[in-house]
Amino acid sequence: MLEWLAVTSLAYPPPLHDGVVRLRPWRDTDLSCVEQASQDPRIPQGTTVPAHYTTEAGLTYIARQHARLTSGQGVALAITHQHTDQAIGHINLIARPQQGVAGIGYWIVPDARRQGIASRAISLTTTWGLSPGNFARIEAWVEPDNHASQRALEINGYLQEGRLRSFLTFGTRRADVLVYSRITADTQR
Ligand SMILES: CC(C)(COP(=O)(O)OP(=O)(O)OC[C@H]1O[C@@H](n2cnc3c(N)ncnc32)[C@H](O)[C@@H]1OP(=O)(O)O)[C@@H](O)C(=O)NCCC(=O)NCCS
């Protein structure tokens, strides 16, 4: 049987780092990262980061990231500066209903942007996510005006497959999304 047909036991990955960025499980001491994210206009719209930050809401956000694993939904990790261990963002792989398919999601706090952090985190996550026993396909849904996110995916070999019209809702706003993916066959090329 092909290994990727089933993700049998979700677990946090082995240490993922590249000398600059390290991905690790969220900790309660990462609250200031969640607080910074809550102040960004875009992040709370498209994620469960609280729009109105309180310590309780921040801790609930962090608990929710661990619950993704225990509930079998997927894996959510903090993106940190490898040398300081300071959390500066978030990345997740969430299982889609289709067997062997995961959606990738990520955000970086405003002060840490444009330093290649998202690109590095996507690279580490994608390599692990497409490794044997994990997923066969990782896809991203990106708004057409989110050029930074599209670029970070393209740098990592994701291909744009098309546009889904009026696909997501952000509050009362409906949005088109561009679909990007990488599959295990891309990795083997
Ligand atoms: C999208 C996001 C994750 C990018 O994070 P980042 O760490 O700044 O991205 P990187 O530094 O790795 O940059 C990736 C590429 O995008 C480019 N880029 C970064 N910001 C950009 C911007 N505002 N406009 C256009 N290109 C941009 C970079 O130059 C780089 O391309 P290059 O290597 O060819 O120069 C970050 O802006 C963010 O958190 N946005 C809000 C949440 C979000 O949109 N999440 C993704 C949802 S699909």
Side-chain angles (χ1 to χ4, degrees), residues 40-44 46-47 88 90 104-110 112-122 140-143 145-153 155-156:
D40 181 73
R42 193 155 203 158
I43 297 173
T47 70
I88 47 173
H90 169 95
I104 190 168
Y106 41 83
W107 53 257
I108 304 296
V109 296
R113 288 186 190 158
R114 301 207 84 147
Q115 298 166 36
I117 303 292
S119 304
R120 288 173 178 277
I122 293 168
W141 297 336
V142 188
E143 283 201 76
D145 68 350
N146 195 342
H147 302 293
S149 183
Q150 291 165 45
R151 185 73 194 122
L153 290 164
I155 288 168
N156 280 292

Side-chain angles (χ1 to χ4, degrees), residues 10-24:
L10 273 175
Y12 282 122
L16 296 177
H17 50 81
D18 66 1
V20 174
V21 157
R22 176 176 169 233
L23 310 182
R24 60 153 170 79

Side-chain angles (χ1 to χ4, degrees), residues 12-178:
Y12 282 122
L16 296 177
H17 50 81
D18 66 1
V20 174
V21 157
R22 176 176 169 233
L23 310 182
R24 60 153 170 79
W26 279 91
R27 296 183 187 143
D28 287 354
T29 47
D30 295 327
L31 276 179
S32 85
C33 177
V34 182
E35 182 172 14
Q36 288 173 64
S38 74
Q39 289 157 7
D40 181 73
R42 193 155 203 158
I43 297 173
Q45 266 190 22
T47 70
T48 63
V49 168
H52 303 289
Y53 178 83
T54 61
T55 300
E56 191 187 352
L59 288 170
T60 303
Y61 175 82
I62 290 171
R64 198 157 45 237
Q65 305 321 308
H66 293 291
R68 292 187 190 285
L69 187 75
T70 50
S71 67
Q73 239 192 321
V75 174
L77 298 166
I79 303 170
T80 71
H81 283 299
Q82 185 169 345
H83 296 300
T84 61
D85 199 35
Q86 183 197 350
I88 47 173
H90 169 95
I91 192 155
N92 62 38
L93 286 180
I94 302 295
R96 299 262 201 249
Q98 295 76 21
Q99 191 99 37
V101 179
I104 190 168
Y106 41 83
W107 53 257
I108 304 296
V109 296
D111 283 354
R113 288 186 190 158
R114 301 207 84 147
Q115 298 166 36
I117 303 292
S119 304
R120 288 173 178 277
I122 293 168
S123 171
L124 290 166
T125 304
T126 303
T127 301
W128 172 71
L130 293 179
S131 63
N134 291 325
F135 295 98
R137 169 185 166 92
I138 300 178
E139 62 179 29
W141 297 336
V142 188
E143 283 201 76
D145 68 350
N146 195 342
H147 302 293
S149 183
Q150 291 165 45
R151 185 73 194 122
L153 290 164
E154 286 162 3
I155 288 168
N156 280 292
Y158 281 73
L159 298 183
Q160 191 190 127
E161 297 177 323
R163 182 171 184 134
L164 300 175
R165 296 178 301 156
S166 194
F167 188 66
L168 293 182
T169 45
F170 297 100
T172 55
R173 178 175 72 85
R174 295 205 65 86
D176 293 0
V177 298
L178 301 176

